[in-house]
């Protein structure tokens, strides 16, 4: 190949590269997934669990359930940027019995549900259920980890405000240490105003 033909071929390759490289960069950014902001729950136990969630949106309090989450797996309960700082969780261990519950009372029922409001659950035909509070600290996304009671550190019992309380037998009572101190920013159901 003569030096002139080699220079022309090289120029064509450089021009093609000048067009293709920016196009490939634009393509790469166009197909990249945006950062996800979700509320997730991971079941780090050896059994299947059923999960219900409660939170306050623009229209008021709402509870939803059930998500059935296999042992040692995670699921997204709410997709998108979190709309509240505080969320409330209630979970049942289907395989071995027990529950993760708390002192914030909201409505639920045995079958799939979406319930508006937390007042008069029983009068409206729902169950009155104690959920535990999750403080997301106003993060865009959050993941709750459910664990077995035996997996909790003995010298550091979980606080009802810092994570899920240890499982109690179905229909169980208050967690070890009794009820959390009353807080002036809670309503009669134990929910933040």
């Amino acid at each position: 190949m003569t030096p002139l033909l080699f220079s022309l071929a090289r120029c064509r390759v450089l021009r093609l590269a000048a067009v293709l490289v920016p196009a490939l960069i634009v393509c790469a950014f166009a197909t990249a997934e945006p950062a996800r902001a979700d509320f997730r729950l991971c079941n780090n136990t050896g059994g299947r669990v059923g999960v219900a969630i409660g939170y306050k949106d623009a229209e008021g309090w709402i509870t939803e359930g059930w998500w059935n989450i296999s042992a040692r797996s995670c699921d997204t309960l709410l997709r998108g940027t979190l709309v509240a700082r505080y969320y409330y969780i209630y979970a049942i261990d289907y395989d071995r019995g027990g529950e993760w519950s708390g002192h914030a009372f909201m409505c639920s029922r045995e079958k799939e549900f979406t319930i508006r409001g937390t007042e008069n659950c029983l009068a409206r035909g729902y169950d009155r259920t104690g959920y535990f509070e999750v403080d997301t600290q106003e993060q865009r996304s959050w993941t709750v980890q459910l664990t077995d009671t035996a997996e909790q550190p003995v010298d550091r019992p979980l606080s009802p405000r810092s994570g899920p309380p240890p499982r109690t037998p179905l229909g169980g009572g208050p967690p070890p240490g009794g009820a959390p101190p009353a807080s002036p920013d809670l309503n009669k159901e134990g929910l933040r105003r």
Side-chain angles (χ1 to χ4, degrees):
M1 188 184 261
T2 65
L4 182 59
L5 288 176
F6 181 73
S7 288
L8 289 173
R10 189 170 162 211
C11 283
R12 284 185 188 147
V13 168
L14 289 175
R15 274 190 255 157
L16 184 60
V19 172
L20 285 179
V21 169
L24 289 173
I25 291 171
V26 168
C27 246
F29 283 110
T31 60
E33 282 190 41
R36 298 208 67 148
D38 298 328
F39 190 97
R40 294 177 44 83
L41 187 132
C42 291
N43 173 14
N44 294 320
T45 74
R48 295 172 305 124
V49 298
V51 178
I53 187 170
Y55 58 94
K56 193 172 191 178
D57 66 9
E59 298 176 34
W61 289 102
I62 187 169
T63 52
E64 299 179 75
W66 294 97
W67 283 265
N68 297 309
I69 304 175
S70 302
R72 312 264 182 242
S73 66
C74 300
D75 199 359
T76 299
L77 305 185
L78 301 171
R79 295 195 184 285
T81 302
L82 302 182
V83 298
R85 176 175 177 172
Y86 297 98
Y87 290 81
Y88 297 85
I89 299 290
Y90 175 73
I92 299 171
D93 186 323
Y94 292 135
D95 296 332
R96 296 172 296 167
E99 64 184 1
W100 292 264
S101 62
H103 299 284
F105 291 95
M106 305 179 91
C107 303
S108 69
R109 68 180 206 165
E110 287 185 25
K111 297 181 180 184
E112 186 177 325
F113 65 91
T114 299
I115 302 170
R116 283 271 172 203
T118 59
E119 65 288 329
N120 304 318
C121 296
L122 297 173
R124 295 190 298 150
Y126 303 120
D127 296 321
R128 184 173 183 261
T129 306
Y131 290 64
F132 68 86
E133 182 178 88
V134 175
D135 180 356
T136 65
Q137 303 169 8
E138 298 183 352
Q139 298 293 315
R140 293 182 64 227
S141 62
W142 197 262
T143 299
V144 173
Q145 308 282 337
L146 291 183
T147 60
D148 287 319
T149 303
E151 295 174 15
Q152 301 301 327
V154 175
D155 58 341
R156 289 183 43 213
L158 289 173
S159 160
R161 301 268 184 253
S162 66
R167 281 186 316 154
T168 57
L170 286 174
S183 175
D185 60 342
L186 299 179
N187 64 17
K188 67 181 182 176
E189 283 85 21
L191 303 172
R192 298 206 177 254
R193 297 186 201 281

